[in-house]
Amino acid sequence: MTMATDATGSKSGSRRGLLIILSSPSGAGKSTLARRLMEWDPSLSFSVSATTRQPRPGEADGEDYHFLAEPAFKSLGAEGAMLEHAHVFGHFYGSPEAPVREAIEAGRDVVFDIDWQGAIQILNSPLGLHTLSIFILPPSIPELWRRLIDRGQDSAEVITKRMNKSWDEISHWRGYEYVLVNDDLDVTFERLKLIVSAERLRREQQPWLEDHVRRLHQEFEKGSRG
Ligand code: ADP
Ligand code: 5GP
């Protein structure tokens, strides 16, 4: 019997969705890498976070974030609708749980762009077993400054605030399964694709293997030679 496989060699249709967490200090390139991942495999879902921060120029409500006022954000938290949430750079951020559950139950992987506090909460949750955590380091601190400035979306004050917090985020790099130094973007992206492709083949991500091996066992017991 032949099995349909996707571009990464996984049996399609019956794979369990993976939670792919990308974290880094602000400006190291996680949003850029997340965007490339989504282009590479359109079946991936992006976890659109809720936040109380103001939209940046070009950011769309419901696409980049769900931009909420603080009371609305807090009531979502109180209802238990968040998979994780944290206070970052003076604002609240959180990942709504329902779309994540829906995607992974349908066998689709979900990409998260969240900080270390959110990553820990997901890794320690029942979904931790199905999580792939990747930390993105910048090649140097001057380059991190350059990237934040060149991005051109934050005021000088906000950039300084984010740079002052960058060490706090970097200091959590050991909590992640994979760490990539994002020097050359193309090289980093190739490595990211390799990691995602391999992790999709993890035993826990392929519940269909139980049936497959059961069938192999039955055939073995029957002494079947086909
Ligand atoms: P983050 O989401 O981690 O805050 P971004 O993805 O927004 O970071 O990247 C910050 C800036 O750096 C963007 O202008 C992006 O185009 C640029 N960038 C990302 N990766 C690289 C790279 N490897 N080399 C040079 N510039 C990069
Ligand atoms: P930004 O304001 O630059 O979009 O994001 C600031 C920081 O908040 C980044 O480190 C980003 O990964 C993190 N972040 C974004 N959404 C969430 C979320 O839903 N939960 C948590 N814990 N962090 C988030």
Side-chain angles (χ1 to χ4, degrees):
M1 189 181 102
T2 54
M3 287 174 216
T5 56
D6 66 17
T8 66
S10 309
K11 182 176 181 291
S12 56
S14 54
R15 201 163 54 77
R16 200 190 300 272
L18 199 57
L19 283 72
I20 303 170
I21 299 180
L22 299 176
S23 299
S24 78
S26 193
K30 63 192 170 309
S31 312
T32 306
L33 288 162
R35 260 194 306 273
R36 281 209 179 187
L37 266 185
M38 312 294 300
E39 284 162 18
W40 169 62
D41 183 349
S43 79
L44 286 165
S45 289
F46 181 69
S47 170
V48 179
S49 297
T51 183
T52 58
R53 88 150 158 75
Q54 290 298 308
R56 293 191 187 117
E59 281 184 333
D61 189 27
E63 264 178 50
D64 299 284
Y65 280 104
H66 300 290
F67 294 100
L68 301 179
E70 208 168 303
F73 185 98
K74 288 194 166 157
S75 70
L76 276 182
E79 285 164 22
M82 298 286 198
L83 188 54
E84 60 76 34
H85 57 88
H87 198 241
V88 192
F89 306 132
H91 304 286
F92 291 101
Y93 293 82
S95 311
E97 180 159 351
V100 176
R101 292 249 172 222
E102 212 173 280
I104 59 170
E105 276 158 25
R108 277 183 288 122
D109 302 331
V110 183
V111 178
F112 293 79
D113 172 341
I114 59 175
D115 84 330
W116 66 273
Q117 305 174 82
I120 288 184
Q121 291 170 52
I122 294 180
L123 287 164
N124 289 335
S125 79
L127 293 173
L129 186 64
H130 304 291
T131 298
L132 162 60
S133 62
I134 305 165
F135 197 86
I136 313 293
L137 284 171
S140 69
I141 298 299
E143 174 63 13
L144 191 59
W145 272 108
R146 236 184 329 270
R147 287 184 191 174
L148 276 178
I149 293 165
D150 290 352
R151 186 164 71 184
Q153 286 186 329
D154 297 302
S155 65
E157 189 196 337
V158 168
I159 290 177
T160 305
K161 203 165 153 189
R162 285 173 176 241
M163 278 306 297
N164 289 341
K165 284 275 182 191
S166 65
W167 187 253
D168 190 30
E169 186 74 25
I170 291 174
S171 69
H172 295 280
W173 70 281
R174 284 195 188 84
Y176 290 72
E177 295 163 289
Y178 293 89
V179 179
L180 296 172
V181 177
N182 182 21
D183 193 348
D184 180 294
L185 183 60
D186 290 336
V187 171
T188 310
F189 183 57
E190 283 306 311
R191 291 179 178 164
L192 184 58
K193 282 192 294 185
L194 283 175
I195 294 168
V196 170
S197 302
E199 290 284 318
R200 284 174 165 176
L201 296 171
R202 248 164 39 182
R203 178 168 46 80
E204 306 84 53
Q205 298 312 115
Q206 304 188 82
W208 64 275
L209 280 173
E210 292 291 342
D211 283 342
H212 182 67
V213 174
R214 205 171 293 125
R215 197 170 53 244
L216 289 179
H217 187 237
Q218 284 164 0
E219 289 171 358
F220 175 81
E221 290 288 300
K222 274 197 282 179
S224 166
R225 282 173 170 240

